[in-house]
């Protein structure tokens, strides 16, 4: 049966948009049940609405993290959602929440973890003068930008590379890689049962 994905974002939502379009086009055998954000004015929510996807604003301000996460979990269950896809979500999920959905939460990070976890990873890799960085898709555990790696793709930093050109390269890889991993999971070629990648 076709999988149901919920997507969590805080910003632009370019990954969400690509995933949603790839679901609609049948490249990923799944549908997006809803898109949630901690910011009511996130650009990604506008994009979701334009695509006809239901959106949910999480009440972090009014109810704090515990209240916001309960609200998210309730909707996740109500909609019989299979996977929670983090795409630029800037809050840290609590250990309690991660435990409720262990093995069902994915994240994308714009570096080759375990290198450059945390924010501004593209810029930090560029400034550090590394020759190769990349993109990681992983399962989420209690630590930030940590958990079993599902897929990685390297990106070379050329001698003339500007931060802007590197960001473009990374985002292009992200869009391709996230959809590819979700396609594999949805088609049953990649099993992540029990929170571990299984061949
Ligand atoms: C991406 O670079 C992703 O790797 C990081 O946040 C960014 C989100 O971009 N976690 P967008 O909102 O999908 O455009």
């Amino acid at each position: 049966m076709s999988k149901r994905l919920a997507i969590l974002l805080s910003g632009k939502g370019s990954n969400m948009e690509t995933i949603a379009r790839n679901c609609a086009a049948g490249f990923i055998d799944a549908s997006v049940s809803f898109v949630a954000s901690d910011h009511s004015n996130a650009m990604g929510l506008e994009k979701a609405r334009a695509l006809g996807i239901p959106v949910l604003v999480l009440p972090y301000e009014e109810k704090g993290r515990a209240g916001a996460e309960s609200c998210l979990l309730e909707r996740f269950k109500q909609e019989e959602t299979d996977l929670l896809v983090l795409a630029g979500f800037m809050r840290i999920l609590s250990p309690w929440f991660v435990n409720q959905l262990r093995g069902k939460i994915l994240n994308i990070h714009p570096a080759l973890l375990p290198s450059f976890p945390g924010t501004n990873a593209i810029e930090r890799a560029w400034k550090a003068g590394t020759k190769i960085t990349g993109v990681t898709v992983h399962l989420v555990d209690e630590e930030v930008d940590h958990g079993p790696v599902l897929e990685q793709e390297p990106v070379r930093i050329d001698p003339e590379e500007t931060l802007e050109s590197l960001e473009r390269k990374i985002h292009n890889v992200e869009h391709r890689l996230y959809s590819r991993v979700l396609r594999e999971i949805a088609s049953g070629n990649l099993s992540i049962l029990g929170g571990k990648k299984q061949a």
Side-chain angles (χ1 to χ4, degrees):
M1 209 175 67
S2 190
K3 298 271 186 215
R4 285 171 65 74
L5 318 176
I7 303 180
L8 210 46
L9 54 80
S10 299
K12 287 207 310 281
S14 68
N15 280 284
M16 178 283 299
E17 186 170 21
T18 309
I19 292 165
R21 288 191 188 282
N22 280 330
C23 287
F27 177 75
I28 305 170
D29 184 14
S31 58
V32 180
S33 53
F34 65 98
V35 170
S37 179
D38 54 330
H39 286 302
S40 58
N41 55 358
M43 218 204 284
L45 287 185
E46 272 317 299
K47 287 184 179 153
R49 286 191 191 98
L51 291 166
I53 300 168
V55 304
L56 171 66
V57 177
L58 299 170
Y60 274 88
E61 303 303 328
E62 306 88 315
K63 297 189 176 167
R65 183 165 77 170
E69 289 181 345
S70 299
C71 168
L72 175 59
L73 188 62
E74 193 183 318
R75 179 75 172 258
F76 186 92
K77 288 180 176 167
Q78 222 172 49
E79 303 265 1
E80 300 186 340
T81 309
D82 299 292
L83 293 174
L84 183 61
V85 177
L86 271 51
F89 186 61
M90 300 306 286
R91 304 252 182 182
I92 297 170
L93 296 169
S94 71
W96 171 80
F97 185 85
V98 171
N99 207 27
Q100 300 298 311
L101 297 181
R102 189 171 303 281
K104 294 181 178 175
I105 313 176
L106 280 77
N107 185 39
I108 189 158
H109 185 72
L112 292 178
L113 292 174
S115 294
F116 304 108
T119 53
N120 301 322
I122 303 176
E123 186 173 352
R124 285 186 291 120
W126 180 73
K127 281 188 175 157
T130 53
K131 303 287 181 209
I132 295 178
T133 183
V135 174
T136 303
V137 177
H138 66 99
L139 288 174
V140 170
D141 68 10
E142 286 81 356
E143 291 175 54
V144 175
D145 295 327
H146 188 269
V149 170
L150 298 175
E151 195 53 271
Q152 289 186 305
E153 190 171 318
V155 172
R156 176 163 281 282
I157 303 181
D158 295 324
E160 305 300 310
E161 198 80 58
T162 63
L163 180 57
E164 292 67 32
S165 67
L166 181 60
E167 282 171 346
R168 267 198 304 278
K169 274 159 75 171
I170 295 264
H171 291 316
N172 283 336
V173 171
E174 284 189 328
H175 297 159
R176 191 158 33 77
L177 197 69
Y178 221 174
S179 283
R180 219 177 65 210
V181 170
L182 289 167
R183 175 186 164 94
E184 292 295 291
I185 294 172
S187 62
N189 292 333
L190 176 60
S191 168
I192 53 170
L193 283 176
K196 290 263 185 282
K197 180 183 176 183
Q198 286 151 23

